[in-house]
Amino acid sequence: MKVSRIAATGALAASAVLVLSGPAFAHVSVQPEGEAAKGGYATVNFKVPNERDDASTTKLEVNFPTDHPLASVMPQPVAGWTAKVTKSKLDKPLELHGESISEAVTKVTWTATGKGIEPGYFQKFPLSVGALPEDTDELVFKAIQTYSNKDVVRWIEEQKEGAEEPENPAPVLALSAASEEGHHGSDASAEPTAEASEASAEHAETTEVAASSTDSSDTTARVLGVVGIVIGVAGVAYGVLAGRRRTNA
């Protein structure tokens, strides 16, 4: 009985590891560099993995929330891709640094000029965004991923409270509390100019390191999955052999 339980536990552990490690590198997601404080500006990265074995990702379209519009959105150049920023008129003008803003960015589209994101790889698309809203804890971006074989994956499903994660979740940017130093017209919340250029240069120097670190995390997840399978198989095999020995005895 104990042997059977060990075998069953091993198989369950293998399945659990695979379930937990899979989603870690499957979805289009968005994360800030540092933090994204309410009322300030931030640099955010949209991380796009390739989920296909036989096609490359050749286009990414990110739609911005219209209930919390952002007046300033600046893409950082990405080698092998072009970026198009689309602005639309606002139903109600925004007050930003004492000025009335009548339009905001509603979409950014990246299109590959070469092979795109090939199978087994991912790509980060950085943006400088602001000013971030002060009346919400998160921003939901709906993304559309297009492959070279014309397949389209719509990452547009919003997470419902108390429900399981949807199959194609929309990227969500969590906003942190506003700091006193970076609030209402201070240097930290002013529209980025020279600071943004410096940040872009720094990001360019560290892109390779960041990619290596993230890739290492994904590799770890895969290794854990393999280890889980090995443990499960070993447990089952041990149970079978023990059962045979008891029968022969």
Side-chain angles (χ1 to χ4, degrees):
M1 181 65 69
K2 291 182 179 180
V3 173
S4 299
R5 288 179 179 177
I6 292 174
T9 301
L12 180 60
S15 300
V17 170
L18 285 178
V19 170
L20 292 174
S21 63
F25 47 87
H27 303 157
V28 172
S29 60
V30 59
Q31 291 293 333
E33 292 185 5
E35 65 176 13
K38 298 178 182 180
Y41 285 78
T43 297
V44 300
N45 290 302
F46 285 90
K47 180 184 175 184
V48 183
N50 191 328
E51 294 187 307
R52 298 288 190 271
D53 295 329
D54 57 352
S56 298
T57 295
T58 56
K59 184 179 179 181
L60 174 68
E61 178 183 309
V62 175
N63 294 279
F64 283 65
T66 56
D67 54 343
H68 294 97
L70 300 176
S72 175
V73 176
M74 296 188 298
Q76 178 177 307
V78 177
W81 295 79
T82 60
K84 179 183 178 182
V85 178
T86 301
K87 292 185 176 182
S88 300
K89 291 288 183 180
L90 297 175
D91 295 333
K92 182 180 179 180
L94 292 175
E95 289 294 328
L96 183 63
H97 307 311
E99 297 183 5
S100 178
I101 307 298
S102 60
E103 64 178 12
V105 173
T106 52
K107 181 171 61 177
V108 177
T109 304
W110 288 271
T111 304
T113 57
K115 295 181 179 179
I117 309 172
E118 298 183 271
Y121 291 86
F122 73 91
Q123 178 67 55
K124 287 184 178 181
F125 297 93
L127 291 175
S128 173
V129 298
L132 297 172
E134 302 178 48
D135 57 350
T136 184
D137 294 326
E138 63 183 25
L139 291 177
V140 179
F141 300 86
K142 296 186 177 182
I144 300 176
Q145 183 178 11
T146 302
Y147 287 88
S148 55
N149 62 359
K150 306 305 180 183
D151 282 352
V152 175
V153 181
R154 302 179 183 276
W155 304 99
I156 61 174
E157 298 179 59
E158 298 188 35
Q159 178 70 51
K160 303 297 182 182
E161 186 175 357
E164 295 183 358
E165 183 183 45
E167 183 177 356
N168 295 314
V172 177
L173 176 66
L175 303 182
S176 60
S179 62
E180 294 182 1
E181 296 179 356
H183 196 64
H184 291 305
S186 67
D187 291 340
S189 64
E191 186 169 353
T193 52
E195 182 181 353
S197 300
E198 182 179 350
S200 296
E202 182 179 351
H203 176 80
E205 294 175 359
T206 59
T207 297
E208 183 176 352
V209 175
S212 176
S213 176
T214 306
D215 186 56
S216 176
S217 298
D218 291 346
T219 300
T220 300
R222 292 188 177 92
V223 171
L224 287 173
V226 174
V227 170
I229 293 174
V230 172
I231 293 174
V233 172
V236 173
Y238 181 73
V240 173
L241 290 175
R244 289 180 177 177
R245 289 173 182 173
R246 292 179 61 184
T247 301
N248 293 335

